[in-house]
């Protein structure tokens, strides 16, 4: 058979005929885009990408670069240093609003332009600037996409011709000392970041890398630490869709980011990465049909952050006394699936039922797919306590789920 997933994506596109709004017209090169293009892609966390529609059309990433620049800044400078300069509160304002947080004077978040221009300056080692920093960004976004991305020089030049508002924003943060470099150079390099070319398949892989705790599921490369990916997804959830962010989170429920060229990127943690493309924008600056496609995917496929399936209830597959051929008896628990806090608690409750009669205990992890740090600590503590109670415990763990592997340390914010 052929998997029905591509057919389904095709059908979703077919159902999203009603378009509205207009192609962004403040940048001449963007205004020239074909408004009827429509595409969707979806990447699984084991690295398979499905797509439909105009999936090979390249467009500039624009504001969808912001969460990735934020990720690289967090990776390169650490969470505390970045938070000192850029906040995490939704602004409720338009993407290019001239606003700073009262009191702290920080840009409110890294998803609006004033925060993104500031975040751009935080990528790389302190002191890295200009072309070298832009190259760090290009390479970083390429690692998220799993292929070499290039800049659309025509869009860059075109946008620089009308970048008055972004220049005003950069001068504002410069005047407060939040950034110390030449605002004109900073805006040019930020605009270069926005002018990287992607297609919907790239967006889906980039999203899947965030959803997969920072590891690109196609290349296997760890691009940023899990804590960084979590921070980025959190800010996308609350600030990614600008002044439509509240509606978006309740209706679609997928952390997302839109771009003025018509792209939307959605990343559902632990589940899937999504990219859509359609150039006409609604009044919030989000792609009209892209929003509709995401609404349908969320609705049809149950892809909502607040509606995720319970993780721990099925973790104990079998439990009870077993007898071996030699007449021996052991108390055996067979576990399955992922073990996180709720699953770990379920297992510990079973282990707590074992009597104080010194019976041997077997904990079988053969069918366990994944154990997070908390699940691992909980299981090991159960084993330790059984040992203290005088039980001989054997753990069947062929995939070494309870062994902490050293995965290396990519940066300060892991
Ligand atoms: N390059 C655009 C800008 O800075 C990005 C805005 C967007 O995509 N919403 O204005």
């Amino acid at each position: 058979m052929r998997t029905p997933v591509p057919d389904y994506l095709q059908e979703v596109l077919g159902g999203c005929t009603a378009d509205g709004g207009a192609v962004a017209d403040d940048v001449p090169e963007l205004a020239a885009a074909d408004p009827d293009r429509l595409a969707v892609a979806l990447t699984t966390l084991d690295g398979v990408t499905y797509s439909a529609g105009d999936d090979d059309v390249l467009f500039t990433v624009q504001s969808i670069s912001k969460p990735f620049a934020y990720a690289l800044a967090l990776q390169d400078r650490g969470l505390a240093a970045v938070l000192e300069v850029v906040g995490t509160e939704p602004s409720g304002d338009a993407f290019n609003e001239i606003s700073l947080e009262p009191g702290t004077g920080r840009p409110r978040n890294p998803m609006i332009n004033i925060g993104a221009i500031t975040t751009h300056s935080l990528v790389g080692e302190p002191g890295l600037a200009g072309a070298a920093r832009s190259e760090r960004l290009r390479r970083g976004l390429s690692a998220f996409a799993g292929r070499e991305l290039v800049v659309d020089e025509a869009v860059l030049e075109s946008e620089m011709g009308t970048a008055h508002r972004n220049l005003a924003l950069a001068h504002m943060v410069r005047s407060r000392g939040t950034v110390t470099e030449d605002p004109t150079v900073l805006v040019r390099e930020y605009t270069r970041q926005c002018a990287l070319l992607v297609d919907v398949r790239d967006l889906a892989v980039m999203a899947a890398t965030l959803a997969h705790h920072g590891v690109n599921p196609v290349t296997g490369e760890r691009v940023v630490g899990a804590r960084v990916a979590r921070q980025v997804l959190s800010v996308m959830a609350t600030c990614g869709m600008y002044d439509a962010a509240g509606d978006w989170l309740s209706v679609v429920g997928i952390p997302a980011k839109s771009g003025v060229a018509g792209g939307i990127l959605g990343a559902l943690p632990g589940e899937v990465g999504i990219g859509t493309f359609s150039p006409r924008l609604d009044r919030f600056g989000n792609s009209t049909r892209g929003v509709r496609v995401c609404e349908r995917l969320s609705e049809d496929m149950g892809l909502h952050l607040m509606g995720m399936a319970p993780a721990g209830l099925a973790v104990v597959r079998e439990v009870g006394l077993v007898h071996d051929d030699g007449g021996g008896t052991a108390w055996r628990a067979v576990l399955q699936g992922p073990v996180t806090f709720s699953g770990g608690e379920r297992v510990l409750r079973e282990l707590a039922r074992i009597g104080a009669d010194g019976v041997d205990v077997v904990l079988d992890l053969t069918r366990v797919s994944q154990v997070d740090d908390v699940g691992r600590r909980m299981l090991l503590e159960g084993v330790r306590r059984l040992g203290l109670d005088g039980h001989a415990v054997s753990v069947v763990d062929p995939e070494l789920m309870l062994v902490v592997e050293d995965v290396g340390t990519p940066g300060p914010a892991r």
Side-chain angles (χ1 to χ4, degrees), residues 61-64 66 95-96 113 159 166 190-191 194 242 257-261 285:
V61 65
Q62 296 296 342
S63 281
I64 302 171
K66 292 171 182 175
F95 71 94
N96 56 5
N113 283 13
E159 187 164 350
N166 283 341
Y190 158 76
T191 308
C194 293
Y242 306 125
K257 187 73 206 77
S258 62
V260 75

PDB file of all heavy atoms in Angstrom, residues 61-64 66 95-96 113 159 166 190-191 194 242 257-261 285, ligand 1:
ATOM      1  N   VAL A  61      12.731  33.391   4.403  1.00  0.00           N
ATOM      2  CA  VAL A  61      12.285  32.889   5.701  1.00  0.00           C
ATOM      3  C   VAL A  61      11.684  34.019   6.550  1.00  0.00           C
ATOM      4  O   VAL A  61      10.766  33.809   7.328  1.00  0.00           O
ATOM      5  CB  VAL A  61      13.456  32.166   6.414  1.00  0.00           C
ATOM      6  CG1 VAL A  61      14.578  33.131   6.760  1.00  0.00           C
ATOM      7  CG2 VAL A  61      12.997  31.421   7.646  1.00  0.00           C
ATOM      8  N   GLN A  62      12.219  35.242   6.380  1.00  0.00           N
ATOM      9  CA  GLN A  62      11.739  36.432   7.107  1.00  0.00           C
ATOM     10  C   GLN A  62      11.666  36.191   8.622  1.00  0.00           C
ATOM     11  O   GLN A  62      12.602  35.678   9.183  1.00  0.00           O
ATOM     12  CB  GLN A  62      10.399  36.900   6.519  1.00  0.00           C
ATOM     13  CG  GLN A  62      10.531  37.356   5.069  1.00  0.00           C
ATOM     14  CD  GLN A  62      11.431  38.584   4.899  1.00  0.00           C
ATOM     15  OE1 GLN A  62      11.706  39.310   5.843  1.00  0.00           O
ATOM     16  NE2 GLN A  62      11.918  38.801   3.683  1.00  0.00           N
ATOM     17  N   SER A  63      10.547  36.505   9.232  1.00  0.00           N
ATOM     18  CA  SER A  63      10.476  36.446  10.697  1.00  0.00           C
ATOM     19  C   SER A  63      10.578  35.028  11.256  1.00  0.00           C
ATOM     20  O   SER A  63      10.764  34.866  12.466  1.00  0.00           O
ATOM     21  CB  SER A  63       9.175  37.076  11.186  1.00  0.00           C
ATOM     22  OG  SER A  63       9.288  38.466  11.168  1.00  0.00           O
ATOM     23  N   ILE A  64      10.434  34.026  10.393  1.00  0.00           N
ATOM     24  CA  ILE A  64      10.582  32.653  10.900  1.00  0.00           C
ATOM     25  C   ILE A  64      12.034  32.398  11.293  1.00  0.00           C
ATOM     26  O   ILE A  64      12.341  31.455  12.012  1.00  0.00           O
ATOM     27  CB  ILE A  64      10.068  31.636   9.845  1.00  0.00           C
ATOM     28  CG1 ILE A  64       8.605  31.945   9.513  1.00  0.00           C
ATOM     29  CG2 ILE A  64      10.216  30.201  10.330  1.00  0.00           C
ATOM     30  CD1 ILE A  64       8.066  31.149   8.334  1.00  0.00           C
ATOM     31  N   LYS A  66      13.510  34.306  13.316  1.00  0.00           N
ATOM     32  CA  LYS A  66      13.689  34.863  14.671  1.00  0.00           C
ATOM     33  C   LYS A  66      13.848  33.796  15.765  1.00  0.00           C
ATOM     34  O   LYS A  66      14.754  33.903  16.592  1.00  0.00           O
ATOM     35  CB  LYS A  66      12.538  35.816  15.003  1.00  0.00           C
ATOM     36  CG  LYS A  66      12.546  37.099  14.154  1.00  0.00           C
ATOM     37  CD  LYS A  66      11.249  37.886  14.383  1.00  0.00           C
ATOM     38  CE  LYS A  66      11.187  39.144  13.530  1.00  0.00           C
ATOM     39  NZ  LYS A  66       9.870  39.821  13.671  1.00  0.00           N
ATOM     40  N   PHE A  95       4.023  43.341  14.858  1.00  0.00           N
ATOM     41  CA  PHE A  95       5.402  42.831  14.862  1.00  0.00           C
ATOM     42  C   PHE A  95       6.457  43.933  14.830  1.00  0.00           C
ATOM     43  O   PHE A  95       7.569  43.749  15.312  1.00  0.00           O
ATOM     44  CB  PHE A  95       5.617  41.843  13.725  1.00  0.00           C
ATOM     45  CG  PHE A  95       5.648  42.463  12.347  1.00  0.00           C
ATOM     46  CD1 PHE A  95       6.864  42.825  11.772  1.00  0.00           C
ATOM     47  CD2 PHE A  95       4.483  42.655  11.630  1.00  0.00           C
ATOM     48  CE1 PHE A  95       6.912  43.381  10.500  1.00  0.00           C
ATOM     49  CE2 PHE A  95       4.529  43.216  10.357  1.00  0.00           C
ATOM     50  CZ  PHE A  95       5.723  43.587   9.798  1.00  0.00           C
ATOM     51  N   ASN A  96       6.084  45.091  14.245  1.00  0.00           N
ATOM     52  CA  ASN A  96       7.112  46.139  14.125  1.00  0.00           C
ATOM     53  C   ASN A  96       6.844  47.311  15.062  1.00  0.00           C
ATOM     54  O   ASN A  96       7.303  48.420  14.830  1.00  0.00           O
ATOM     55  CB  ASN A  96       7.245  46.603  12.673  1.00  0.00           C
ATOM     56  CG  ASN A  96       5.910  47.084  12.115  1.00  0.00           C
ATOM     57  OD1 ASN A  96       4.920  47.154  12.840  1.00  0.00           O
ATOM     58  ND2 ASN A  96       5.899  47.422  10.847  1.00  0.00           N
ATOM     59  N   ASN A 113      10.055  42.681  15.991  1.00  0.00           N
ATOM     60  CA  ASN A 113      11.275  43.152  15.331  1.00  0.00           C
ATOM     61  C   ASN A 113      12.302  43.764  16.275  1.00  0.00           C
ATOM     62  O   ASN A 113      13.498  43.494  16.158  1.00  0.00           O
ATOM     63  CB  ASN A 113      10.922  44.152  14.230  1.00  0.00           C
ATOM     64  CG  ASN A 113      10.400  43.442  12.990  1.00  0.00           C
ATOM     65  OD1 ASN A 113      10.080  42.252  13.048  1.00  0.00           O
ATOM     66  ND2 ASN A 113      10.312  44.153  11.881  1.00  0.00           N
ATOM     67  N   GLU A 159      14.652  45.117   0.529  1.00  0.00           N
ATOM     68  CA  GLU A 159      14.147  45.435   1.872  1.00  0.00           C
ATOM     69  C   GLU A 159      14.966  46.555   2.521  1.00  0.00           C
ATOM     70  O   GLU A 159      14.416  47.382   3.254  1.00  0.00           O
ATOM     71  CB  GLU A 159      14.143  44.180   2.750  1.00  0.00           C
ATOM     72  CG  GLU A 159      13.461  44.447   4.072  1.00  0.00           C
ATOM     73  CD  GLU A 159      13.075  43.196   4.851  1.00  0.00           C
ATOM     74  OE1 GLU A 159      13.158  42.090   4.289  1.00  0.00           O
ATOM     75  OE2 GLU A 159      12.701  43.350   6.021  1.00  0.00           O
ATOM     76  N   ASN A 166      12.690  49.529  10.756  1.00  0.00           N
ATOM     77  CA  ASN A 166      13.674  48.700  11.460  1.00  0.00           C
ATOM     78  C   ASN A 166      14.889  49.523  11.866  1.00  0.00           C
ATOM     79  O   ASN A 166      15.474  49.300  12.934  1.00  0.00           O
ATOM     80  CB  ASN A 166      14.092  47.504  10.593  1.00  0.00           C
ATOM     81  CG  ASN A 166      13.029  46.412  10.587  1.00  0.00           C
ATOM     82  OD1 ASN A 166      12.166  46.384  11.478  1.00  0.00           O
ATOM     83  ND2 ASN A 166      13.069  45.540   9.603  1.00  0.00           N
ATOM     84  N   TYR A 190      20.656  41.861  10.136  1.00  0.00           N
ATOM     85  CA  TYR A 190      19.369  41.268  10.541  1.00  0.00           C
ATOM     86  C   TYR A 190      18.513  40.997   9.301  1.00  0.00           C
ATOM     87  O   TYR A 190      17.874  39.946   9.182  1.00  0.00           O
ATOM     88  CB  TYR A 190      18.643  42.216  11.515  1.00  0.00           C
ATOM     89  CG  TYR A 190      17.146  41.979  11.582  1.00  0.00           C
ATOM     90  CD1 TYR A 190      16.622  40.892  12.270  1.00  0.00           C
ATOM     91  CD2 TYR A 190      16.265  42.840  10.918  1.00  0.00           C
ATOM     92  CE1 TYR A 190      15.250  40.674  12.300  1.00  0.00           C
ATOM     93  CE2 TYR A 190      14.895  42.626  10.946  1.00  0.00           C
ATOM     94  CZ  TYR A 190      14.396  41.532  11.638  1.00  0.00           C
ATOM     95  OH  TYR A 190      13.047  41.315  11.654  1.00  0.00           O
ATOM     96  N   THR A 191      18.515  41.930   8.356  1.00  0.00           N
ATOM     97  CA  THR A 191      17.719  41.762   7.132  1.00  0.00           C
ATOM     98  C   THR A 191      18.276  40.627   6.282  1.00  0.00           C
ATOM     99  O   THR A 191      17.522  39.883   5.644  1.00  0.00           O
ATOM    100  CB  THR A 191      17.697  43.091   6.339  1.00  0.00           C
ATOM    101  OG1 THR A 191      17.284  44.130   7.221  1.00  0.00           O
ATOM    102  CG2 THR A 191      16.730  43.024   5.173  1.00  0.00           C
ATOM    103  N   CYS A 194      16.853  37.538   7.577  1.00  0.00           N
ATOM    104  CA  CYS A 194      15.471  37.359   7.123  1.00  0.00           C
ATOM    105  C   CYS A 194      15.398  36.933   5.654  1.00  0.00           C
ATOM    106  O   CYS A 194      14.364  36.421   5.207  1.00  0.00           O
ATOM    107  CB  CYS A 194      14.685  38.661   7.297  1.00  0.00           C
ATOM    108  SG  CYS A 194      14.437  39.143   9.012  1.00  0.00           S
ATOM    109  N   TYR A 242       2.406  37.006  16.966  1.00  0.00           N
ATOM    110  CA  TYR A 242       2.194  38.436  17.221  1.00  0.00           C
ATOM    111  C   TYR A 242       0.912  38.681  18.008  1.00  0.00           C
ATOM    112  O   TYR A 242       0.606  37.968  18.954  1.00  0.00           O
ATOM    113  CB  TYR A 242       2.179  39.213  15.905  1.00  0.00           C
ATOM    114  CG  TYR A 242       3.385  38.984  15.058  1.00  0.00           C
ATOM    115  CD1 TYR A 242       3.283  38.557  13.758  1.00  0.00           C
ATOM    116  CD2 TYR A 242       4.670  39.179  15.588  1.00  0.00           C
ATOM    117  CE1 TYR A 242       4.407  38.346  12.975  1.00  0.00           C
ATOM    118  CE2 TYR A 242       5.785  38.972  14.814  1.00  0.00           C
ATOM    119  CZ  TYR A 242       5.654  38.554  13.512  1.00  0.00           C
ATOM    120  OH  TYR A 242       6.748  38.339  12.751  1.00  0.00           O
ATOM    121  N   LYS A 257       5.603  30.187  14.251  1.00  0.00           N
ATOM    122  CA  LYS A 257       6.148  31.491  13.863  1.00  0.00           C
ATOM    123  C   LYS A 257       5.802  31.742  12.410  1.00  0.00           C
ATOM    124  O   LYS A 257       5.948  30.855  11.573  1.00  0.00           O
ATOM    125  CB  LYS A 257       7.670  31.486  14.040  1.00  0.00           C
ATOM    126  CG  LYS A 257       8.308  32.829  13.827  1.00  0.00           C
ATOM    127  CD  LYS A 257       8.001  33.755  14.988  1.00  0.00           C
ATOM    128  CE  LYS A 257       8.046  35.217  14.587  1.00  0.00           C
ATOM    129  NZ  LYS A 257       6.841  35.653  13.840  1.00  0.00           N
ATOM    130  N   SER A 258       5.355  32.960  12.144  1.00  0.00           N
ATOM    131  CA  SER A 258       5.014  33.303  10.769  1.00  0.00           C
ATOM    132  C   SER A 258       6.042  34.273  10.199  1.00  0.00           C
ATOM    133  O   SER A 258       6.778  34.921  10.945  1.00  0.00           O
ATOM    134  CB  SER A 258       3.638  33.961  10.738  1.00  0.00           C
ATOM    135  OG  SER A 258       3.691  35.164  11.485  1.00  0.00           O
ATOM    136  N   GLY A 259       6.082  34.357   8.869  1.00  0.00           N
ATOM    137  CA  GLY A 259       6.977  35.291   8.193  1.00  0.00           C
ATOM    138  C   GLY A 259       6.208  36.080   7.147  1.00  0.00           C
ATOM    139  O   GLY A 259       5.195  35.605   6.614  1.00  0.00           O
ATOM    140  N   VAL A 260       6.700  37.276   6.842  1.00  0.00           N
ATOM    141  CA  VAL A 260       5.978  38.200   5.980  1.00  0.00           C
ATOM    142  C   VAL A 260       5.973  37.750   4.508  1.00  0.00           C
ATOM    143  O   VAL A 260       5.161  38.220   3.706  1.00  0.00           O
ATOM    144  CB  VAL A 260       6.561  39.630   6.172  1.00  0.00           C
ATOM    145  CG1 VAL A 260       7.906  39.759   5.470  1.00  0.00           C
ATOM    146  CG2 VAL A 260       5.609  40.699   5.703  1.00  0.00           C
ATOM    147  N   ALA A 261       6.841  36.791   4.149  1.00  0.00           N
ATOM    148  CA  ALA A 261       6.808  36.265   2.776  1.00  0.00           C
ATOM    149  C   ALA A 261       5.728  35.198   2.603  1.00  0.00           C
ATOM    150  O   ALA A 261       5.510  34.690   1.503  1.00  0.00           O
ATOM    151  CB  ALA A 261       8.170  35.688   2.393  1.00  0.00           C
ATOM    152  N   GLY A 285      -0.501  40.022   9.757  1.00  0.00           N
ATOM    153  CA  GLY A 285       0.748  39.726   9.057  1.00  0.00           C
ATOM    154  C   GLY A 285       1.019  38.231   8.991  1.00  0.00           C
ATOM    155  O   GLY A 285       2.141  37.797   8.702  1.00  0.00           O
TER     156      GLY A 285
HETATM  157  N1  LIG B   1      12.229  41.260   7.463  1.00  0.00           N
HETATM  158  C1  LIG B   1      10.936  41.582   7.989  1.00  0.00           C
HETATM  159  C2  LIG B   1      11.018  42.808   8.867  1.00  0.00           C
HETATM  160  O1  LIG B   1      11.951  42.894   9.626  1.00  0.00           O
HETATM  161  C3  LIG B   1      10.419  40.420   8.786  1.00  0.00           C
HETATM  162  C4  LIG B   1       9.048  40.721   9.349  1.00  0.00           C
HETATM  163  C5  LIG B   1       8.152  39.515   9.303  1.00  0.00           C
HETATM  164  O2  LIG B   1       8.408  38.531   8.652  1.00  0.00           O
HETATM  165  N2  LIG B   1       7.024  39.640   9.958  1.00  0.00           N
HETATM  166  O3  LIG B   1      10.182  43.683   8.811  1.00  0.00           O
END
